[in-house]
Structure formats: C-alpha cells, structure tokens
C-alpha cells in the first residue's frame, strides 16, 4: 500500500518554464490537497479537490492550476515558473468521512 | 478567515520532561483538529485527530485536548525522548479546508 506518492521529488526550473507535479493516491480518497511549505510560514493551501472532476482555490492559488481527471490523481501545474514559487510542495488526501490526512513525502522545487 | 497560531515556535528540553505544545485558532466553527509530526526533510505524519464533539484523544504518550469555545488545543507529551525531536503542527478543518499553524520545533536532548 503506497499511500500518497508525489513525483518528481526534486526539480530545478528556470524562470518562465512550466512543469507539472503529480500526486497519486491508492486509498480511494475523495479529498485531495496541494500545499506549499516555506520557512516561517507553515503549510499554505494552494488548491484542493473534493472529488473527481472538481477543484477549488485555497489560500495561495495564483500562478498555479490543478486538475483532477481521475479520482486517484491530482495534478499541480505551474504555467510560467517564478522564483517566488521556490518551495516544498506537499500533496495530501483524505476520505470524506474519516478526515485524517495522509501526506506524500514532498516535492522540492527550485526556480532560478 | 481562520488563523492558527502555535506557541512556542521552538522548545528545547531535557529527556524525561513532560511538555505541552499549544495551538490556538480564531474561528471556533471547526469540524476537527489534527496534530501532525514532521521530521526534517520529510512529509507530515498524523498523530491525533480530535472531532469537534470530542474533548481529548490519547495515543501512547501523547494526549491532545480541544476547547472549541476558547479556540485552543494542547498536545501533551509525557516522558519526552530524543526520538520525539521534530516539528509539531496543528491544523483545523473548516468545511473542506485544513488550515495549518506554523508549528513548534521540539528538541529533546539526552
């Protein structure tokens, strides 16, 4: 049972490049989330999804897009990366009933 | 807007001490509160989940309490060990969102 898997684990981008982070969960969870973690600022919610085909904005959605075409996958896209998006990105999922969040190991992104 | 605050930001204690970590939130209309542990360079591991109707939850040496009306939760760690060294985060759920505090970095030295 893999839980929540994030790919890639590390990535270095140049300003203006685009990329997609993939989150996959095998627990049949309805809810999925993308957070970013920055020193001194804790985890901030970027976007989330309450089920297949749905997405919603969190606290810091600007500069990011998401898609949830399949229940088990939640993709986070950066269309034009900026240095301010240098961060560690965490994906999490939960069932609608239990609400316990399971996190992935994180993806460290550096934008030069 | 829900805001979650954790005090202290950092804590260093000798092994064996009992300690309390604090979490406060501004909007008491929460569904639940969750405590997490994060080791350096790692993801978050869920420790305890308290539903809004509950007052406390216990797991081993950990006890978490919730006072929804005053917007506070505490995480009590009994007989601390060096292996407890990590950052501890609390998070509150409002509807679909889970909002995190900035964490308490705990160091337990032998």
């Amino acid at each position: 049972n893999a839980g929540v898997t994030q790919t890639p684990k590390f990535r270095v981008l140049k300003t203006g490049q685009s990329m997609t982070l993939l989150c996959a969960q095998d627990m049949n969870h309805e809810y999925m989330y993308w957070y970013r973690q920055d020193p001194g600022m804790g985890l901030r919610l970027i976007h989330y999804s309450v089920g297949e085909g749905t997405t919603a904005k969190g606290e810091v959605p600007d500069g990011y897009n998401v898609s949830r075409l399949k229940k088990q996958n939640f993709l986070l896209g950066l269309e034009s990366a900026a240095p301010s998006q240098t961060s560690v990105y965490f994906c999490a999922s939960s069932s609608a009933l239990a609400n316990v969040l399971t996190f992935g190991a994180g993806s460290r992104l550096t934008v030069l | 807007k829900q805001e979650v605050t954790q005090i202290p930001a950092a804590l260093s204690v000798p092994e064996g001490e009992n300690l309390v970590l604090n979490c406060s939130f501004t909007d008491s209309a929460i569904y639940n509160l969750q405590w997490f542990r994060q080791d350096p360079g790692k993801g978050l591991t869920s420790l305890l989940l308290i539903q809004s109707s509950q007052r406390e939850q216990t797991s081993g040496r950990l006890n978490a309490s919730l006072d929804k009306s005053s917007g506070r939760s505490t995480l009590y760690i009994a007989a601390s060990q060096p292996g407890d060294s990590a950052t501890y985060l609390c998070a509150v759920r409002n509807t679909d969102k889970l909002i995190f505090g900035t964490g308490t970095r705990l160091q337990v030295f032998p």
Side-chain angles (χ1 to χ4, degrees):
Chain A
N1 189 349
V4 177
T5 303
Q6 293 181 228
T7 53
K9 289 184 170 51
F10 302 93
R11 184 75 186 269
V12 178
L13 288 177
K14 294 181 180 179
T15 297
Q17 287 185 318
S18 63
M19 75 157 296
T20 300
L21 297 176
L22 170 63
C23 177
Q25 52 94 4
D26 61 1
M27 299 170 285
N28 201 36
H29 282 173
E30 291 292 337
Y31 288 31
M32 296 187 76
Y33 310 82
W34 275 108
Y35 288 89
R36 61 178 289 174
Q37 186 175 36
D38 302 290
M41 303 192 73
L43 275 84
R44 292 180 292 170
L45 182 63
I46 305 171
H47 285 281
Y48 64 102
S49 168
V50 301
E52 181 178 319
T54 74
T55 63
K57 294 180 180 180
E59 301 170 83
V60 288
D62 294 342
Y64 304 94
N65 56 75
V66 288
S67 64
R68 183 103 182 264
L69 299 179
K70 294 182 178 180
K71 185 177 184 179
Q72 63 268 34
N73 295 337
F74 195 29
L75 279 65
L76 178 71
L78 286 72
E79 292 183 347
S80 179
S84 61
Q85 294 178 304
T86 294
S87 187
V88 180
Y89 292 85
F90 286 100
C91 175
S93 70
S94 67
S95 70
L97 292 177
N99 292 322
V100 174
L101 251 66
T102 301
F103 274 81
S107 298
R108 183 176 296 274
L109 175 65
T110 301
V111 183
L112 302 176
Chain B
K1 178 185 173 185
Q2 178 72 273
E3 293 183 359
V4 182
T5 304
Q6 291 187 245
I7 295 174
L11 186 61
S12 183
V13 300
E15 182 177 8
E17 274 204 6
N18 302 323
L19 52 98
V20 175
L21 307 182
N22 297 294
C23 173
S24 61
F25 47 95
T26 55
D27 184 353
S28 62
I30 65 171
Y31 285 134
N32 58 48
L33 183 145
Q34 199 164 349
W35 282 92
F36 294 86
R37 168 185 173 138
Q38 185 177 28
D39 293 288
K42 305 291 186 181
L44 281 72
T45 301
S46 178
L47 297 174
L48 290 165
L49 172 71
I50 309 177
Q51 300 294 347
S52 62
S53 59
Q54 297 175 321
R55 296 285 293 181
E56 65 179 324
Q57 281 285 335
T58 298
S59 176
R61 293 182 295 108
L62 304 179
N63 176 277
S65 67
L66 174 64
D67 184 343
K68 202 172 68 165
S69 61
S70 66
R72 294 181 181 178
S73 175
T74 61
L75 179 66
Y76 176 82
I77 303 177
S80 58
Q81 303 171 357
D84 294 330
S85 298
T87 296
Y88 292 80
L89 299 104
C90 70
V92 298
R93 180 181 285 277
N94 288 114
T95 59
D96 297 327
K97 302 176 186 177
L98 197 65
I99 305 298
F100 282 82
T102 52
T104 294
R105 189 171 65 253
L106 173 65
Q107 182 181 9
V108 182
F109 53 90

